Amino acid sequence: MSLKVAVVGLGGIGNTHAGVYMKREDCELVAVCDIVQERTDKAAEKYGCPGFYTIAEMLASGIQIDAVSVCSAGVENGGDHYKPTMEILAAGIPVLGEKPISNNITHAEEMVALAKEKNLRYGINLNHRFTPAALRGKEWINEGRLGELNIINMTMWINNPNESSPWFHVRALHPHSLDVMRYFGGDVDKVQAFFKRGPKADGPDGKRDCWSNMQVNLLFKNGIIGHLTGSYDAGGSYGLETLEVVGSEGRFVLLDACEHLTFYPRRSRQTETYDYLGGMMGFGETFPSRIGKWVEQNIAGDSPDEIDASGAAALHVQKIIEAIITSWETGTVVTV
């Protein structure tokens, strides 16, 4: 079976999705769509498929579409996902959305509810954990190799000058980090957050407009305790991310999503290190991995409840993020 797919939103990420689909033998890119006509025309020519300027035109074209990537942007990178996603789901077509699902929790809830009502597969491109190294770590946990899990620590940071909103950093970047933490630790119960604005020469009081650094304490519902460090004032030799999962019998550390994984047994000094598991050499390869899983689950006819990194999971992440913001604003520990 060849999955007939369309891509809505043709910025950098949308073209990344389209490029992944074009390289897969089990996919056919049948349509592209963007409200910016120049983007649509350029993509239609590049990928050799029809281009549309509205969702309504695309749906009325009669083209068979089995699944759609919604890669629109908007405020805090998630403000424009709602309208196209609702239109496509209403037409009975599965959607792979970009993160964040939406920073408007009501909109996110409506998208998840409509997908459930229509019994449609709805996933989000939370790609950081779609790596052979993360899968190996998950296997160690399931096998009991770490013992009882006690602590999960996550650091994710990049150099990003975006100042479009005070909360751009936490809302645009940390759906990824919190999804990774939930993948290993489950649902989060409570959060306590602290923020700091980084330096900016021409900013107010010499500081950035965006809350660009944060530290968050987390209590998971199963009793695991966690910590998240995030920054938009980092990068370079700092790396992209570090994950540490600590159990009663061992711990593992995963560097830069897929590059280096080390297991440390509690009662021995004989560690194990795996570099570039599965041949995945860098973060850019997580896009084909995650999108590929979406394609495979659609072709296999997996039920909506089985979708990895589902819309429902992404909604849980966004609720954690809003609780983090509330914690800082109120100076309290907040229940998610």
Side-chain angles (χ1 to χ4, degrees), residues 5-201:
V5 297
V7 176
V8 173
L10 296 164
I13 295 296
N15 278 280
T16 296
H17 281 237
V20 171
Y21 290 133
M22 289 291 290
K23 291 178 181 178
R24 294 186 63 94
E25 294 182 356
D26 54 2
C27 282
E28 180 183 358
L29 184 59
V30 297
V32 291
C33 178
D34 197 297
I35 58 175
V36 179
Q37 295 188 14
E38 181 182 358
R39 286 182 175 180
T40 296
D41 295 344
K42 184 177 179 179
E45 181 178 359
K46 179 178 180 179
Y47 303 120
C49 64
F52 301 92
Y53 309 132
T54 68
I55 302 293
E57 290 176 332
M58 184 176 75
L59 295 176
S61 68
I63 295 172
Q64 179 185 338
I65 301 174
D66 300 321
V68 178
S69 277
V70 174
C71 304
S72 47
V75 176
E76 296 166 336
N77 280 4
D80 289 346
H81 298 340
Y82 174 71
K83 185 175 184 295
T85 299
M86 292 295 282
E87 289 182 78
I88 295 162
L89 290 173
I93 301 173
V95 170
L96 175 64
E98 263 299 327
K99 65 80 201 171
I101 179 174
S102 176
N103 293 317
N104 180 317
I105 296 298
T106 299
H107 284 176
E109 290 174 336
E110 289 179 16
M111 289 185 281
V112 170
L114 182 57
K116 184 174 183 178
E117 175 188 330
K118 295 280 188 177
N119 196 34
L120 293 171
R121 289 178 285 275
Y122 180 28
I124 301 296
N125 184 33
L126 295 165
N127 53 307
H128 283 239
R129 62 173 167 85
F130 283 82
T131 72
L135 181 58
R136 180 67 59 85
K138 187 77 165 181
E139 289 171 350
W140 287 341
I141 291 171
N142 292 340
E143 292 166 359
R145 196 172 185 201
L146 275 71
E148 180 176 327
L149 297 190
N150 293 322
I151 300 169
I152 298 177
N153 295 322
M154 183 81 186
T155 296
M156 189 175 293
W157 48 25
I158 59 175
N159 176 29
N160 191 330
N162 192 300
E163 299 278 272
S164 61
S165 83
W167 304 112
F168 187 91
H169 165 222
V170 62
R171 284 177 170 159
L173 180 64
H174 292 293
H176 284 308
S177 53
L178 290 164
D179 176 68
V180 171
M181 296 179 82
R182 285 188 72 250
Y183 178 64
F184 292 107
D187 287 337
V188 172
D189 185 26
K190 299 177 187 296
V191 298
Q192 178 192 35
F194 301 93
F195 284 80
K196 179 184 181 296
R197 299 180 190 272
K200 181 184 177 185

Side-chain angles (χ1 to χ4, degrees), residues 226-242:
H227 189 80
L228 171 62
T229 296
S231 180
Y232 267 178
D233 298 314
S237 64
Y238 298 6
L240 173 64
E241 62 191 69
T242 300

